[in-house]
Amino acid sequence: MSHHVDFELPLNASEEEVTPSPVRMGSARSTYSAPAAAGEFGIINKASAWRKIRRGRKQSILNRRGWSNYDPLSYRQLRQGSTFTTDSSAATEETGLLRKMSSAESDQALLGAATPWEGLVEMFIENKINYLFVFIPFAVWSHKAHWSDGSIFILNFLAMVPLASMLGVFTEELAAHTNDVIGGLINATFGNAVELVVAIQALFAGDFRVVQASLIGSVFSNLLLVLGMCFLFGGIEHKEQEFIAQGVVASISLLGFSGVALLLPEFFDDAGDDSQDVTATISRLAALLLIILYGLLLWFQLKTHVHLFQGDDDTLAMIPYSWALTGLVVITAIVTILSEFLVASIDGFCTEFNLGRSFVGLIILPVVGNAVEHISAVSVAMKNKMDLALGVALGSSVQIALFVLPVTVVVGWFTGREMTMKFPPFEVALYLMSVIIVSMCLSNARSNWLEGSLLVSLYVLIAVGIYFEKDLE
């Protein structure tokens, strides 16, 4: 007989309260069972997990600064003298009549109100990795001054790490001002924007090998390194951790489907003079199917089965909507410029440091877009919130495999560039084997440090093999 733990999520929950940890009762394993509530199915995309993590961090900022009633919109209303408050002398439970604040009341409220500017500053200083913003002017100048490709690559690489972090923060801030559907679509579009921008820049430069390597490398990084580190460090803190199986099974199945899409073009290597055309056709059709499947995944979560994911919404915003939109546009523009410099310097960087382009794409470039999320995933795993960690690691893998990769194929199709899903055979084999091994580790809905060490070791083994691939190029 299974036991169930019912819970309710308070509106002002902190990061530690967002996801309850499974507990054991007697000899049976407990499960989350809030009917029609978040956690019944599990987290199957990165947006849901990242939103919960951000919610906890924002709540921590509010608690630390004493901003118990912080609202970025109310401050503007106070300054304009347009805030209304309940008139206790006339209001009743039924009517709740409102009256406009007097000038004196507005001035008094302003004295203790936090400004959106303070909220914006907190967003930037909450993560020490944002100190790498100091490299942005050096990154731009290195390109303008024609420094060595190695210097240009390193400086732009360092500058893009905090940009990727803040891109995710502004994306979540923008989504916090919308409803579940629009917020989900915003997160789905910009969730892996850095990987998409870098891939498209490499595509326009005609460097298809870097495009393929950076995207499949991002999947390897999330699926093996991040997930393995979560299991490893989470297992050190907690001997055994449990998670909800349904969402995990869905994610692995989607990754398996993408593996089949990568495998099909391999069968048409020697199909004669028309082999390239056949490969391109299959790749484009597979890309369209992957994008459709990703859309169905969003429809499943945001529309038809939304009751399984209630509680993912986050109405807590640190800055106004216009600020979030402006920040998202500005950060995206800077990422686009620096990624162009980064891609243009890859060949010179490889020559200067005697590295293969495949190694740079598969191992080094994925760090740019995922460093902060990787740290966050490991952090929540150590707090025994394995569902959130899985949501980041597996969700990001699914988003890249089902959305970012096929979008680059479609963009290449419409711009006359022969970008296909025909990857090197051994990389496809490694991809499929990785999915199989991860599915085995997740099969019992429990994790420990030994499984984590297995996944991390597999990633290191793949990195060693890819390092020597330069001899084959």
Side-chain angles (χ1 to χ4, degrees):
M1 182 178 69
S2 62
H3 297 269
H4 299 280
V5 178
D6 296 318
F7 70 93
E8 293 181 358
L9 182 64
L11 294 178
N12 63 343
S14 64
E15 182 179 353
E16 287 74 13
E17 297 172 309
V18 170
T19 303
S21 303
V23 297
R24 290 186 174 275
M25 301 175 64
S27 59
R29 179 166 55 92
S30 302
T31 60
Y32 310 100
S33 66
E40 187 170 304
F41 190 86
I43 297 175
I44 59 176
N45 68 13
K46 185 182 73 172
S48 300
W50 185 240
R51 170 165 287 194
K52 287 177 178 290
I53 293 172
R54 284 296 307 162
R55 178 178 183 171
R57 288 185 175 179
K58 287 188 281 188
Q59 190 62 52
S60 297
I61 292 174
L62 299 184
N63 294 339
R64 175 168 52 82
R65 295 296 301 269
W67 299 343
S68 58
N69 297 315
Y70 177 76
D71 183 351
L73 298 180
S74 64
Y75 183 84
R76 179 183 300 177
Q77 293 170 345
L78 286 171
R79 288 184 62 88
Q80 296 172 349
S82 60
T83 298
F84 288 79
T85 185
T86 303
D87 187 347
S88 58
S89 63
T92 64
E93 292 183 0
E94 290 78 15
T95 61
L97 296 178
L98 300 177
R99 65 176 176 83
K100 192 170 184 178
M101 273 189 176
S102 67
S103 177
E105 288 174 326
S106 294
D107 292 342
Q108 183 65 30
L110 275 171
L111 292 176
T115 66
W117 176 254
E118 290 179 287
L120 181 64
V121 171
E122 286 291 338
M123 287 167 50
F124 274 91
I125 66 175
E126 68 167 321
N127 198 326
K128 290 183 174 57
I129 205 169
N130 288 336
Y131 293 145
L132 293 177
F133 269 112
V134 299
F135 286 102
I136 292 180
F138 296 102
V140 175
W141 179 252
S142 66
H143 176 78
K144 299 297 183 182
H146 305 289
W147 292 3
S148 68
D149 284 339
S151 300
I152 295 174
F153 182 92
I154 293 172
L155 289 172
N156 281 273
F157 177 90
L158 293 174
M160 286 184 64
V161 171
L163 286 171
S165 169
M166 291 309 301
L167 186 64
V169 170
F170 280 118
T171 298
E172 177 50 38
E173 285 297 308
L174 189 64
H177 287 281
T178 62
N179 58 33
D180 287 348
V181 176
I182 301 301
L185 293 176
I186 291 173
N187 276 303
T189 304
F190 290 94
N192 289 93
V194 173
E195 291 91 336
L196 182 59
V197 170
V198 171
I200 290 179
Q201 290 284 14
L203 177 67
F204 288 163
D207 201 340
F208 303 139
R209 180 80 278 264
V210 170
V211 177
Q212 292 181 331
S214 65
L215 295 180
I216 199 171
S218 292
V219 177
F220 282 139
S221 176
N222 284 285
L223 196 60
L224 300 177
L225 180 61
V226 179
L227 188 59
M229 296 288 278
C230 290
F231 284 179
L232 178 60
F233 287 97
I236 292 174
E237 291 290 326
H238 313 275
K239 289 188 176 180
E240 189 175 74
Q241 296 174 286
E242 300 179 0
F243 49 85
I244 303 168
Q246 291 93 327
V248 170
V249 171
S251 297
I252 290 296
S253 300
L254 292 170
L255 290 173
F257 179 84
S258 68
V260 174
L262 294 177
L263 186 63
L264 284 178
E266 297 298 330
F267 296 117
F268 299 94
D269 266 344
D270 303 316
D273 296 335
D274 297 330
S275 60
Q276 186 63 29
D277 293 336
V278 172
T279 300
T281 301
I282 292 176
S283 298
R284 291 163 182 172
L285 290 175
L288 292 176
L289 284 175
L290 288 171
I291 293 174
I292 291 173
L293 186 59
Y294 186 68
L296 294 176
L297 173 63
L298 295 178
W299 185 261
F300 178 86
Q301 184 176 18
L302 301 176
K303 190 66 176 178
T304 63
H305 289 68
V306 67
H307 62 284
L308 298 177
F309 307 95
Q310 289 175 355
D312 288 349
D313 61 298
D314 180 6
T315 58
L316 179 63
M318 296 293 293
I319 56 176
Y321 174 85
S322 59
W323 291 30
L325 181 60
T326 302
L328 186 61
V329 172
V330 171
I331 294 293
T332 302
I334 298 175
V335 167
T336 302
I337 295 171
L338 296 188
S339 64
E340 182 180 358
F341 300 161
L342 184 76
V343 170
S345 64
I346 288 178
D347 287 342
F349 173 78
C350 293
T351 301
E352 188 172 339
F353 289 90
N354 193 29
L355 295 172
R357 286 158 59 239
S358 294
F359 182 83
V360 173
L362 273 152
I363 307 301
I364 298 178
L365 287 183
V367 176
V368 173
N370 299 317
V372 175
E373 292 174 1
H374 292 181
I375 296 172
S376 299
V378 175
S379 176
V380 295
M382 294 177 67
K383 296 175 181 177
N384 206 23
K385 300 181 181 67
M386 189 54 68
D387 287 303
L388 291 182
L390 286 169
V392 173
L394 293 181
S396 187
S397 300
V398 169
Q399 194 165 6
I400 292 169
L402 268 68
F403 180 70
V404 179
L405 174 57
V407 163
T408 59
V409 175
V410 173
V411 170
W413 180 12
F414 284 101
T415 57
R417 292 171 172 83
E418 290 295 326
M419 172 65 189
T420 70
M421 297 182 69
K422 185 179 182 302
F423 285 65
F426 70 92
E427 290 182 8
V428 177
L430 289 174
Y431 182 92
L432 291 172
M433 288 301 300
S434 297
V435 172
I436 293 173
I437 292 174
V438 170
S439 67
M440 291 178 178
C441 291
L442 299 172
S443 60
N444 63 349
R446 293 188 178 99
S447 65
N448 53 61
W449 65 263
L450 181 60
E451 292 174 334
S453 63
L454 166 65
L455 297 181
V456 172
S457 298
L458 178 58
Y459 181 80
V460 172
L461 188 60
I462 291 175
V464 171
I466 296 299
Y467 175 80
F468 291 102
E469 187 188 356
K470 66 179 186 293
D471 298 330
L472 304 176
E473 294 177 349

